[in-house]
Amino acid sequence: MKIIILGQGKWGQAMASLLSKNNKEFSFWQKGTQIEDNSIIVNCVPTQAIREVLENYGINLRNFIFINGAKGIEKDTHKIPFEIVKEILGKDTDYFTLIGPGFSQEIINQMPTIVNIGYVKVDNAPMVKDLFQTDYFRVRLVDEVEALELSGAFKNIYAIASGIADGLGFETNTKTKLLVVAIEELYRLARNLSLIINEDMIAGTVGDLILTCSSSQSRNFSFGKLLATKNVNEALSIVGETTEGFHTVESLPYFEEKSGVKLNLAHFVYEAIKNDNPDELKNLFTKFVENV
């Protein structure tokens, strides 16, 4: 089967570097053309673009493997990538999701990295693992998709909170407190949605959260940091790339209602973005962090 990468951004380039390292032939999808059937599709377009791409350019797909690399929740539908792909391409899609703590440039620079690949059907899982695993990029297979993708989406919200704390001048103790609260919320949310997070999934859940909440390489962290002095539109413009947490947080009320769980830290980010007032942000944050 041909290997086709959807998206030529930083993440697409990182996935290409791994395939090249493993001497796998691949091509980048050319926007405006139909995605070829009998292909292994590596999705590197943002979550908000998946539906448009597949509905317009995936109409011929019958025999394929779909490997998702996007993180986020679709606005309006509140669906994770797995649900979007299943809706459009069918519930029997041989679906995988690659989730974990890996900045694109560091993967390209061959920095040691560990991730999860979640699967629905195990048959092709070893082959998919071998596409990406190298001596520096280690892959752990896990029989779970939805919990990984939900964690991968919500960690972007929590990264915004960490960026806000940093931008307001709060230091390591406070940012670690936010991480603790974020981990607690992720586990509580998953449990109430009847999803399981276990030790095999730490790379794609807790590991991804720690990475994204701890570095200015994260667009979501950078966006949050900018909110300390800029309004939302200014911050988004300065970041200049897709900031998935900004879109994902719009689904927070839906997930709080669906799970029956109040996600206090995520809700703080929701309120901070809705209020969109840098002058009031420190008071809002201080009030929140002193009461959790």
Side-chain angles (χ1 to χ4, degrees):
M1 300 177 83
K2 309 177 194 72
I3 302 174
I4 299 173
I5 301 176
L6 306 183
Q8 297 189 50
K10 291 181 179 178
W11 190 242
Q13 296 293 334
M15 295 299 97
S17 74
L18 295 170
L19 294 170
S20 295
K21 175 72 173 178
N22 287 329
N23 298 311
K24 306 296 183 183
E25 293 187 5
F26 65 91
S27 61
F28 285 102
W29 168 65
Q30 300 301 308
K31 189 173 182 179
T33 64
Q34 288 298 314
I35 304 166
E36 294 182 60
D37 198 18
N38 298 303
S39 297
I40 298 172
I41 300 164
V42 183
N43 176 59
C44 297
V45 301
T47 299
Q48 308 306 324
I50 293 174
R51 182 178 298 276
E52 178 185 0
V53 169
L54 294 183
E55 286 184 341
N56 288 307
Y57 307 111
I59 58 176
N60 296 324
L61 293 173
R62 299 292 182 272
N63 178 40
F64 62 96
I65 294 170
F66 194 96
I67 304 168
N68 174 57
K71 300 170 184 176
I73 295 170
E74 187 178 43
K75 293 188 297 183
D76 301 326
T77 70
H78 313 299
K79 291 185 176 182
I80 55 177
F82 172 60
E83 294 171 316
I84 301 168
V85 173
K86 187 171 61 172
E87 176 190 335
I88 298 168
L89 300 181
K91 60 182 178 61
D92 295 326
T93 296
D94 198 0
Y95 186 94
F96 299 84
T97 194
L98 193 158
I99 303 284
F103 288 131
S104 303
Q105 190 58 51
E106 292 193 19
I107 294 171
I108 293 169
N109 292 344
Q110 301 189 7
M111 295 291 103
T113 303
I114 187 167
V115 300
N116 282 128
I117 288 182
Y119 60 85
V120 177
K121 295 182 283 189
V122 72
D123 301 25
N124 288 314
M127 179 273 292
V128 170
K129 176 179 177 177
D130 288 343
L131 292 178
F132 300 102
Q133 177 147 288
T134 70
D135 55 348
Y136 59 89
F137 190 86
R138 309 304 292 176
V139 174
R140 291 181 178 172
L141 291 172
V142 59
D143 182 13
E144 175 58 54
V145 166
E146 293 179 79
L148 281 176
E149 292 196 346
L150 194 64
S151 297
F154 268 79
K155 60 92 181 179
N156 288 328
I157 298 175
Y158 297 128
I160 294 173
S162 293
I164 288 172
D166 193 77
L168 292 173
F170 290 87
E171 298 184 12
T172 307
N173 284 5
T174 306
K175 286 183 279 187
T176 301
K177 180 177 182 176
L178 296 184
L179 278 173
V180 170
V181 174
I183 292 168
E184 291 172 345
E185 288 190 5
L186 277 180
Y187 274 75
R188 196 177 306 125
L189 176 63
R191 184 173 62 249
N192 278 42
L193 294 175
S194 300
L195 301 174
I196 297 172
I197 297 176
N198 59 40
E199 62 272 18
D200 295 331
M201 300 163 58
I202 287 177
T205 54
V206 177
D208 202 14
L209 176 72
I210 292 170
L211 179 87
T212 311
C213 290
S214 305
S215 174
S216 58
Q217 289 188 66
S218 161
R219 295 188 295 270
N220 296 283
F221 181 94
S222 297
F223 170 68
K225 186 171 182 175
L226 286 165
L227 291 181
T229 55
K230 309 290 183 184
N231 65 41
V232 168
N233 287 334
E234 288 173 331
L236 288 171
S237 178
I238 292 169
V239 172
E241 297 178 89
T242 300
T243 305
E244 284 289 2
F246 170 73
H247 301 292
T248 298
V249 79
E250 293 187 22
S251 294
L252 177 67
Y254 169 84
F255 280 97
E256 286 188 321
E257 182 177 355
K258 183 179 180 180
S259 66
V261 174
K262 181 69 178 294
L263 303 170
N264 291 313
L265 180 53
H267 207 89
F268 158 73
V269 176
Y270 179 83
E271 293 293 339
I273 289 174
K274 292 298 180 185
N275 288 346
D276 195 11
N277 189 333
D279 294 332
E280 294 181 1
L281 188 58
K282 187 163 189 174
N283 288 336
L284 186 66
F285 180 80
T286 302
K287 182 179 178 181
F288 161 76
V289 81
E290 288 177 351
N291 287 281
V292 292

